[in-house]
Amino acid sequence: MPETAALSHHGQDRHDAHKLPWVNKYVFSIDHKVIGLQYLFTSMFFLLFGFMLIMLIRWQLAFPGKPIPLIGGLLSQALAPGGIITPEFYNALGAMHGTIMVFLGIVPMGVGAFGNYILPLQIGAPDMAFPRLNMMSYWLYVPGGLLMLASFFLPGGAAQSGWTSYPPLSIINPGQTVWLVGMLFLIFSSLFGAINFLVTGLNMRAPGMSLWRLPVFVWAQLVTSVLLLLAFPPLQAAAILQFMDRVAGTSFYIPEGLIVGGQALAASGGGQPILWQHLFWFLAHPEVYVLILPAMGIVAEIIANNTRKPLYGYKEIVYSMFFIGGMSFVVWAHHMFISGMSPALGNFFLVTTMIISVPSVAVLTCLVFSLKGGSIRFTTPMLFALAFLPLFGIGGLTGLPLGLTVTDIYLHDTYYVIGHFHYVVVTGTIIALMGGVYHWFPKWFGRKMNDAWGRVHFWTTAIFMNGIFFPMFIQGLAGAQRRLYDPTAQAHNIVTQPLNIVSSVSAWLLFLAQIPFLVNFFHSIFKCEKSEENPWRATTLEWACPSPPPHGNFDKTPHVYREPYDYSPEGYLSDWRPQHQEAGARP
Amino acid sequence: MEKLINNYGWGLPVAASTVAGGIDFGIRIIHVAMFVIFILWAIFFTYLLIRYRRMDGVKADASHGRLIWSLAPDVVVLIFEISLIVLYAIPAWSRIKIKFPTPDESHNLEIVAEQFGWIIQYPGADAKFGRRSPALVNASNPMGLDPEDPAAKDDVIGVNELHLPLGKPTLVQLTSKDVIHSFFIPEFRIKQDAVPGMKIPVWFEPTKAGQYELGCAQLCGVGHAIMRADVFVHEAADYDAWMTRQRPQFSPQE
């Protein structure tokens, strides 16, 4: 049995754990829990940093051409002379906001932090299958992130061609080379992580943990890993080609005869700009599901736990995730309906795009039906999980007119698109991740976060997020284009310009609303009330070991006897029966 | 600009092309459907939260109803989407983006996007576009029009002003000099990326005389926001009169 082999090896490790020097225990650690927390803190930093970038943009959008108050003077004169950000800096802020939020914030948190910490525990494993590879994933992510941060201080500044980096713009614009190198680090990091998660999830399961006894969160991580593994290599190849176009004079994406600023571009030509878009979106559409699937997994865990009732349609949810994962590879060109690719191809991607919405509806429906007949505890994590349902619903619904070729002609590249994907990723994924932090905090640190402040954080966050993104639908329908440095430079933005102020003020308030969260989070790590080992009365295996778990996790390998969510079983006094509880025994 | 603002409001902008009605129809019907779905769903969701809140002495019911009920929303969504695809999206898409009017029945233009403006080539009286070459581009010849080509002699070049006649479709061959731009006239509900190295056809037929806005919808660099052009739609006779007043690029006076 591979499990026993791994266990005995780790039994050894655990014995030696307290002898490890500090640097091997907390910095270059091979313990999945330490690496998970490293990912957690790093990705929290990047989420806040990416958020700060967009708050500068929100000032320029609300009050174009006015100097930024308070912090405007702190920015360098090259970026913001007199506190007014330049168009170059504006474009850099936009490109880096997208890059940082997706590749350095949300994926590392959803997969790197939650996946790393929770997945091995939920399957009853002592660690990841490849602990050193796991460490390497994190230590590739860090330099990738540092390169992205450093690019702001290099001559030419950070990348400014959008997070999508469409050539030829990305080839003639400054800053892109460092972006590409940074991306290569991040892609390697994700690829190694994906391999590790797949091997761990399939091979390190505790005895009795059959596939149909895996918690939904584990399934979500496994499907996510398949997506990362298959979708990232094309982008990696594409990024290397773009890198060559920039530094080695190749023309993979450059057609001949370009005239830039009145001068002929020194390039041999013969390339095709749209090739990049195909390769990029071949990753970046599955990437959307990489962002959302772990969130769905987290929400499923929290809902099952707080309704005190098994999930409705567990298998339907899992099969839907498989279906989403598979289909996500054949919908990418719905980002490209008007890109110049053959319009006939549009019909194919229209059909696949409509089909992929059905399993998402199925997952959402199952989660809502799970509430029926439950005994719902409105705990703080549950509030976040419940908010996910309608808000992700809005994100999904507003995808409809964008996925439909005809209506996309008008809505493409307007604020409607920004509203749509932020409803999916912010009020969807980030809300779910926040819920996950409250839910698993006792596991991580052995203490509970303050509940009253958690509720304050929830309500303010939910309200301000809607305040930012809902106005964007109205702006988009009115014709407002995205990525404009000065939104009042064109007529279509002027009437709805007051909405930019609503969005911006909401964004700044959303930032203030995170202060109670951050204080609560860091204060609770050291000071708050000690938590019981299983404060939520949860059935899954991560609660079958001490909180926080010691090196090697479980005292003895747990044996799994039942499905993951055996809440309120018939004929039982208590309303939960853990997965590792032997049949007949009463908790 | 003052005049253009009147085209815009809190809803969809003024509709001024033959395809705008169809696109607006789709946008409206989808939003009505989205609204109804969301409200019904929200009522059910709220009911569940209140009805099944935690109450003392009441244990959750671990059993579940038949799975068939949860399939109902999937089926409804699937039917709605299939009808949208078959009855609306595919026919309307081919009308707008796949079937083009012939050059004979159209007002023909070549448009080249550049950082950060729109250059428009009108074929002139001979209805033939003069040859262009990137090597000939300079400040006074932004299109790189070839003076050796007889067809180029009467070609008129416009910068950031697009003039269109009523009564017939306009057929544009769209390309770009440098990076990807996107040709977007919100009032016409028409959008098409302009890609360097490719000539992409776009067609539209204005339905109302007036002034409209052509923006660039694809991030194209530092001047992306200021990359715009005014679109003037004239009655056919007014258009012809305007055309006769224009001096060709290589007019003898120069």
Side-chain angles (χ1 to χ4, degrees):
Chain A
M1 293 277 287
E3 295 93 5
T4 17
L7 257 190
S8 64
H9 160 76
H10 272 274
Q12 203 88 37
D13 263 9
R14 177 157 83 218
H15 200 65
D16 302 334
H18 56 275
K19 288 187 226 150
L20 283 174
W22 184 85
V23 67
N24 289 7
K25 206 168 167 186
Y26 296 109
V27 184
F28 297 105
S29 172
I30 56 167
D31 184 328
H32 74 100
K33 299 180 293 297
V34 178
I35 297 173
L37 293 181
Q38 286 175 326
Y39 265 113
L40 181 73
F41 290 118
T42 320
S43 59
M44 271 171 81
F45 165 77
F46 278 114
L47 283 174
L48 280 172
F49 184 77
F51 187 14
M52 286 180 198
L53 298 184
I54 210 65
M55 284 193 295
L56 295 177
I57 282 197
R58 289 289 354 159
W59 176 269
Q60 170 67 17
L61 290 176
F63 308 105
K66 301 236 169 56
I68 300 172
L70 305 174
I71 54 159
L74 303 176
L75 297 167
S76 100
Q77 282 300 304
L79 302 177
I84 303 166
I85 61 178
T86 61
E88 289 84 354
F89 188 43
Y90 176 90
N91 285 347
L93 288 171
M96 296 311 284
H97 167 74
T99 307
I100 287 174
M101 287 313 218
V102 172
F103 296 111
L104 290 163
I106 296 175
V107 175
M109 185 175 274
V111 180
F114 282 93
N116 235 315
Y117 203 109
I118 305 299
L119 179 136
L121 289 175
Q122 280 196 333
I123 61 172
D127 204 316
M128 294 288 266
F130 306 118
R132 279 175 187 79
L133 192 67
N134 200 20
M135 175 174 84
M136 189 164 161
S137 288
Y138 177 75
W139 286 105
L140 284 169
Y141 159 58
V142 171
L146 290 178
L147 272 174
M148 294 288 186
L149 290 181
S151 67
F152 278 99
F153 303 98
L154 295 174
Q160 40 179 278
S161 313
W163 80 287
T164 50
S165 297
Y166 282 8
L169 181 68
S170 58
I171 292 166
I172 60 176
N173 257 357
Q176 193 69 20
T177 308
V178 179
W179 186 91
L180 289 164
V181 177
M183 283 305 296
L184 288 180
F185 276 95
L186 297 176
I187 292 171
F188 273 121
S189 163
S190 276
L191 284 177
F192 292 150
I195 293 167
N196 215 344
F197 278 65
L198 280 173
V199 176
T200 308
L202 294 175
N203 286 345
M204 303 274 289
R205 286 171 287 131
M209 180 62 94
S210 61
L211 287 176
W212 286 125
R213 286 177 176 175
L214 287 176
V216 170
F217 178 80
V218 174
W219 276 121
Q221 292 288 341
L222 291 179
V223 176
T224 301
S225 298
V226 174
L227 298 188
L228 286 171
L229 193 63
L230 299 181
F232 255 138
L235 182 72
Q236 198 165 22
I240 291 170
L241 297 186
Q242 195 178 105
F243 183 81
M244 299 304 278
D245 273 9
R246 285 183 63 87
V247 303
T250 56
S251 286
F252 293 106
Y253 303 121
I254 309 175
E256 63 187 326
L258 292 200
I259 310 284
V260 178
Q263 301 294 316
L265 188 74
S268 56
Q272 168 54 278
I274 294 183
L275 172 63
W276 166 267
Q277 297 182 25
H278 281 294
L279 294 170
F280 179 83
W281 289 115
F282 187 82
L283 155 90
H285 200 81
E287 180 81 6
V288 173
Y289 294 99
V290 168
L291 300 174
I292 202 68
L293 285 171
M296 284 176 172
I298 292 171
V299 168
E301 297 297 310
I302 297 176
I303 284 185
N305 175 246
N306 287 288
T307 52
R308 314 307 294 162
K309 164 171 185 130
L311 276 182
Y312 181 96
Y314 165 84
K315 282 195 180 177
E316 197 190 337
I317 294 179
V318 175
Y319 281 128
S320 297
M321 285 179 170
F322 290 170
F323 193 68
I324 290 173
M327 282 301 286
S328 73
F329 286 101
V330 285
V331 297
W332 79 87
H334 65 215
H335 297 267
M336 300 169 59
F337 285 146
I338 59 153
S339 68
M341 74 171 188
S342 162
L345 213 48
N347 285 331
F348 171 78
F349 286 100
L350 158 72
V351 173
T352 56
T353 303
M354 293 296 128
I355 291 173
I356 204 174
S357 67
V358 174
S360 302
V361 173
V363 171
L364 215 54
T365 308
C366 286
L367 293 175
V368 173
F369 270 64
S370 298
L371 301 171
K372 195 166 171 294
S375 170
I376 304 172
R377 297 188 311 208
F378 291 95
T379 59
T380 306
M382 184 61 165
L383 291 178
F384 282 95
L386 290 173
F388 171 90
L389 301 174
L391 297 178
F392 175 68
I394 294 176
L397 284 171
T398 50
L400 202 57
L402 296 170
L404 216 60
T405 44
V406 184
T407 41
D408 184 60
I409 297 173
Y410 177 67
L411 293 172
H412 186 80
D413 272 329
T414 64
Y415 266 87
Y416 199 93
V417 180
I418 308 195
H420 157 69
F421 70 71
H422 280 91
Y423 259 92
V424 173
V425 175
V426 178
T427 62
T429 303
I430 292 189
I431 280 270
L433 293 174
M434 285 172 172
V437 168
Y438 284 96
H439 183 71
W440 279 304
F441 190 91
K443 186 81 246 163
W444 297 336
F445 302 109
R447 293 173 198 268
K448 267 183 118 158
M449 286 175 76
N450 181 295
D451 199 53
W453 280 110
R455 281 159 203 275
V456 170
H457 175 227
F458 167 74
W459 286 108
T460 48
T461 298
I463 290 167
F464 297 140
M465 280 180 175
N466 282 287
I468 302 172
F469 302 119
F470 200 81
M472 293 183 180
F473 295 130
I474 302 168
Q475 288 174 298
L477 286 170
Q481 287 163 34
R482 59 189 294 204
R483 291 170 163 175
L484 298 186
Y485 166 66
D486 180 354
T488 58
Q490 302 192 21
H492 47 74
N493 284 345
I494 292 176
V495 177
T496 54
Q497 175 62 13
L499 289 179
N500 266 334
I501 302 177
V502 174
S503 283
S504 295
V505 172
S506 302
W508 301 322
L509 289 174
L510 178 65
F511 184 75
L512 292 181
Q514 302 317 303
I515 293 174
F517 167 69
L518 290 171
V519 172
N520 191 357
F521 182 86
F522 287 104
H523 182 257
S524 303
I525 292 179
F526 304 105
K527 285 272 157 37
C528 254
E529 94 183 86
K530 283 248 195 244
S531 154
E532 309 156 48
E533 262 183 26
N534 188 352
W536 309 115
R537 312 252 182 285
T539 51
T540 40
L541 280 187
E542 79 269 32
W543 301 100
C545 58
S547 304
H551 196 71
N553 298 343
F554 297 90
D555 294 332
K556 64 180 192 11
T557 315
H559 197 286
V560 175
Y561 295 94
R562 58 180 57 79
E563 280 65 45
Y565 310 110
D566 195 8
Y567 289 104
S568 306
E570 199 113 8
Y572 260 70
L573 282 177
S574 90
D575 65 352
W576 59 300
R577 193 158 49 167
Q579 275 191 289
H580 63 288
Q581 189 89 50
E582 256 182 273
R586 295 191 173 219
Chain B
M1 204 67 145
E2 282 302 313
K3 209 170 163 199
L4 283 173
I5 292 171
N6 296 331
N7 292 343
Y8 295 92
W10 287 86
L12 292 165
V14 166
S17 82
T18 51
V19 300
I23 291 179
D24 290 359
F25 167 79
I27 291 178
R28 293 210 172 93
I29 203 166
I30 292 170
H31 279 84
V32 168
M34 274 156 57
F35 186 75
V36 171
I37 291 172
F38 188 76
I39 293 299
L40 291 177
W41 184 90
I43 291 171
F44 180 58
F45 180 61
T46 315
Y47 160 77
L48 290 177
L49 292 185
I50 296 171
R51 168 70 182 76
Y52 296 106
R53 70 191 185 278
R54 175 176 211 129
M55 287 176 279
D56 284 338
V58 181
K59 210 174 144 186
D61 173 12
S63 66
H64 278 301
R66 304 251 314 275
L67 199 65
I68 199 87
W69 283 108
S70 71
L71 294 178
D74 309 355
V75 173
V76 171
V77 168
L78 195 61
I79 291 172
F80 176 62
E81 289 181 346
I82 290 174
S83 16
L84 269 181
I85 292 174
V86 176
L87 301 176
Y88 172 66
I90 290 182
W93 177 253
S94 45
R95 198 160 66 87
I96 301 169
K97 289 280 185 185
I98 296 178
K99 289 186 196 125
F100 290 90
T102 61
D104 295 339
E105 60 187 6
S106 314
H107 171 236
N108 295 290
L109 294 176
E110 300 248 340
I111 297 184
V112 177
E114 67 171 2
Q115 289 177 323
F116 299 96
W118 300 95
I119 313 167
I120 296 110
Q121 182 178 6
Y122 303 84
D126 66 353
K128 281 189 195 143
F129 292 100
R131 202 167 49 227
R132 303 197 306 258
S133 159
L136 298 171
V137 172
N138 59 44
S140 63
N141 186 3
M143 266 297 203
L145 210 54
D146 187 348
E148 304 299 315
D149 182 10
K153 295 281 184 236
D154 60 349
D155 284 12
V156 171
I157 303 294
V159 176
N160 290 341
E161 256 188 42
L162 173 59
H163 291 263
L164 305 168
L166 277 177
K168 58 167 140 175
T170 295
L171 180 61
V172 176
Q173 298 293 332
L174 185 66
T175 187
S176 165
K177 257 185 201 176
D178 39 37
V179 303
I180 298 176
H181 302 273
S182 193
F183 180 92
F184 181 31
I185 305 178
E187 293 94 331
F188 293 176
R189 312 287 189 272
I190 204 78
K191 191 182 284 141
Q192 175 61 55
D193 282 5
V195 182
M198 289 174 82
K199 233 181 211 188
I200 302 169
V202 196
W203 81 273
F204 44 83
E205 184 175 342
T207 52
K208 277 182 207 160
Q211 191 183 339
Y212 308 105
E213 185 165 54
L214 161 61
C216 172
Q218 183 69 265
L219 179 69
C220 60
V222 287
H224 174 52
I226 55 167
M227 178 163 171
R228 58 177 300 285
D230 288 306
V231 181
F232 298 92
V233 174
H234 308 276
E235 300 287 347
D238 296 345
Y239 177 79
D240 293 339
W242 173 83
M243 198 69 218
T244 54
R245 290 199 303 273
Q246 304 308 307
R247 285 204 326 207
Q249 168 96 22
F250 302 118
S251 61
Q253 292 96 313
E254 271 186 325

